[in-house]
Amino acid sequence: MLCAGLVAGAAGCGGEEDPDKGTNGVGKLTATEIEERARTAADAAKAVRLSGTLTGKDGTYKLNMRLKEDGGSGSVTADGQTFELLRIGDDLYLKAEAAFWTSRGEEGTAPTKWGAEAADKLDDKYVKVPKGDPAYQQFRGFTDKDGMLEGFLGMRGELSKGDRTKIGGVRTIKVDAAEGAGGVLDVSLDGAPYPVQFARAGGAGVLTLGEWDVDFPLAPPRQSAVVDYGRDLKKPDGGSER
C-alpha cells in the first residue's frame, strides 16, 4: 500500500523509469503524428546540415551540404571525384580539380562543352553554371533545402513506431515505413522534434541531419577565382561561346 501512496505519475515501485521523462514528448504520439511533427519542425527551420550517402539511378553520392531557403554550400563526391557547390539565389557555382572536368568531359556530363581542353583553366576555380546548361538543374538540386528534404523525408507505406536510440548523443525514436521497406526516420526526443537521421529504403543511403535552424553566411566567390564560360574558355577555332 505504501507504493500506491507515492506521487501520481511516478514510476511504480521497482518499475522502469518513464522513457519520456525529460523528452519533448513526441515518443508518446503515434508514428504518423511523430512524422508530422518532424516535417513541421523541418519546414520551420531556416537552415540545416545534411550529410551522408545517397544512391540513385545515376550512382552513389556522398554529401556534406549546408542548406537554407536562398541557397546552400558544401561538397559532393561521386565516382571518386569531389566537387564543391555554392548557390546564392539562382546563381550556381561549381569548383573542382582538373581531373573532375577531364573525366566529366569525356562522359559528356559536365556543365561545360570543353572537357579536357579546358581542365587546366578550370582546375580549382569556380565555374558559374549557366541556367540553360543541362547540368544546372542536376547540381542545383543538391543545394535546394526544400527539394532535398522532401525527397529524403518522403516515407512510403504504413508507419509504425520503432526503437528508441541515440544518434550523435541525441535521443531519438524511430518511425518505420512498411517495416523499414519504405525508409526509417529517426526523430529527436530532445528539444524540437527535428529529423536526425533517415535510412532510405532498399539500402539507398543513410543521411544525417543536424545544425537545424543554425544560419550561415553565403557570399559569391571573389571574381579572380571565377572562370567565365564565354570570356575565359575559347573554342578550338579561336571563337568563344556563352
Side-chain angles (χ1 to χ4, degrees):
M1 294 302 294
L2 177 62
C3 181
L6 295 177
V7 177
C13 289
E16 296 182 357
E17 184 179 354
D18 180 0
D20 293 302
K21 182 179 179 180
T23 73
N24 55 25
V26 299
K28 299 177 180 179
L29 305 178
T30 67
T32 298
E33 290 171 332
I34 295 172
E35 190 217 17
E36 289 175 349
R37 292 285 183 92
R39 282 179 172 272
T40 298
D43 289 342
K46 59 187 176 184
V48 63
R49 180 186 289 276
L50 190 154
S51 59
T53 58
L54 168 65
T55 300
K57 61 181 181 180
D58 297 327
T60 298
Y61 297 90
K62 183 178 180 180
L63 311 177
N64 186 7
M65 299 293 302
R66 296 190 73 182
L67 310 173
K68 58 183 180 179
E69 293 303 323
D70 58 347
S73 65
S75 65
V76 178
T77 301
D79 299 326
Q81 300 288 343
T82 299
F83 53 94
E84 296 180 28
L85 292 172
L86 169 64
R87 182 175 65 84
I88 306 171
D90 289 332
D91 292 337
L92 176 66
Y93 300 89
L94 186 152
K95 183 171 77 169
E97 296 181 351
F100 169 87
W101 296 104
T102 301
S103 63
R104 292 287 169 172
E106 291 170 351
E107 297 168 11
T109 57
T112 177
K113 297 180 180 179
W114 314 101
E117 292 85 350
D120 289 340
K121 291 184 178 180
L122 296 168
D123 182 34
D124 208 31
K125 294 282 190 177
Y126 283 98
V127 172
K128 188 174 181 180
V129 185
K131 293 177 67 176
D133 194 289
Y136 180 87
Q137 289 301 326
Q138 176 190 2
F139 289 116
R140 189 188 190 283
F142 290 121
T143 68
D144 184 347
K145 173 180 175 285
D146 291 340
M148 291 284 274
L149 293 180
E150 181 64 28
F152 296 152
L153 301 182
M155 305 185 75
R156 300 177 180 177
E158 184 177 353
L159 302 182
S160 60
K161 286 199 292 188
D163 296 334
R164 296 165 186 260
T165 186
K166 278 189 176 182
I167 297 177
V170 177
R171 292 177 294 178
T172 70
I173 186 167
K174 294 183 182 295
V175 176
D176 296 353
E179 299 183 347
V184 179
L185 176 66
D186 275 271
V187 178
S188 177
L189 290 170
D190 297 325
Y194 290 124
V196 175
Q197 181 174 279
F198 183 58
R200 303 183 78 215
V206 177
L207 298 155
T208 300
L209 304 100
E211 298 181 36
W212 285 103
D213 217 26
V214 178
D215 199 10
F216 60 95
L218 286 174
R222 65 184 187 279
Q223 192 58 41
S224 61
V226 179
V227 174
D228 183 274
Y229 266 27
R231 183 182 66 244
D232 300 325
L233 300 179
K234 302 297 183 180
K235 291 173 63 177
D237 62 4
S240 64
E241 176 177 327
R242 284 196 177 274

